[in-house]
């Protein structure tokens, strides 16, 4: 299992923007799917966004569509741009890598340890 590493979390105000980063220890293969998930205390892990590493349109959860953007900087990094954040966006954010196009965390093999995002107003 390859360990990913997230960074960029912190405490922000509602309406603010921030950028989360996820780096791999080596080159991310073209066959990979990279995804962001989040998990708040006492809640299930929730899909946020995904991107086929070789290209194509990203996929977003309805709750973040129009506010968040997933992007990549080949061959090592994937990002999540978060705009107009809300209190309900507060969670630990995880990046993950798999080989299947899926919104289920069960389909992802490699994970980071997460980065905390706290939104307050």
């Amino acid at each position: 299992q390859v360990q990913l590493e997230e960074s960029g979390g912190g405490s922000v105000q509602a309406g603010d923007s921030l950028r989360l980063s996820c780096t791999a220890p080596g080159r991310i293969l073209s066959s990979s799917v990279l995804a962001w998930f989040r998990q708040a205390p006492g809640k299930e892990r929730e899909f946020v966004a995904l991107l086929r590493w070789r290209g194509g349109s990203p996929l977003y959860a309805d709750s973040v569509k129009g506010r968040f953007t997933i992007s990549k900087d080949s061959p090592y990094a994937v990002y999540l741009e978060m705009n107009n954040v809300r209190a309900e966006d507060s969670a630990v954010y995880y990046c993950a890598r798999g080989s299947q196009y899926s919104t289920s965390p069960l389909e992802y093999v490699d994970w980071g340890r997460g980065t905390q995002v706290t939104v307050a107003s």
Side-chain angles (χ1 to χ4, degrees):
Q1 185 167 323
V2 179
Q3 183 68 55
L4 306 174
E5 186 170 351
E6 305 93 339
S7 62
S11 297
V12 295
Q13 299 272 37
D16 283 355
S17 298
L18 73 167
R19 187 192 197 197
L20 306 184
S21 298
C22 173
T23 57
R27 186 178 66 87
I28 298 172
L29 299 177
S30 296
S31 58
S32 295
V33 177
L34 271 295
W36 288 94
F37 294 85
R38 65 188 183 186
Q39 189 165 22
K43 298 187 182 298
E44 298 291 327
R45 190 161 296 189
E46 176 189 17
F47 168 76
V48 177
L50 66 76
L51 181 72
R52 291 187 189 271
W53 206 246
R54 62 174 173 263
S57 298
L59 180 68
Y60 299 96
D62 287 343
S63 58
V64 307
K65 189 174 295 184
R67 299 188 298 119
F68 292 8
T69 302
I70 186 172
S71 62
K72 68 178 182 180
D73 186 7
S74 298
Y76 299 115
V78 61
Y79 306 101
L80 187 70
E81 301 275 359
M82 305 171 63
N83 297 309
N84 192 25
V85 295
R86 306 165 179 167
E88 54 263 40
D89 295 321
S90 296
V92 177
Y93 282 72
Y94 300 91
C95 66
R97 188 204 65 81
S99 60
Q100 296 181 261
Y101 189 91
S102 175
T103 62
S104 171
L106 299 177
E107 300 295 336
Y108 291 83
V109 177
D110 301 322
W111 291 82
R113 58 181 172 267
T115 185
Q116 176 72 52
V117 174
T118 303
V119 182
S121 60

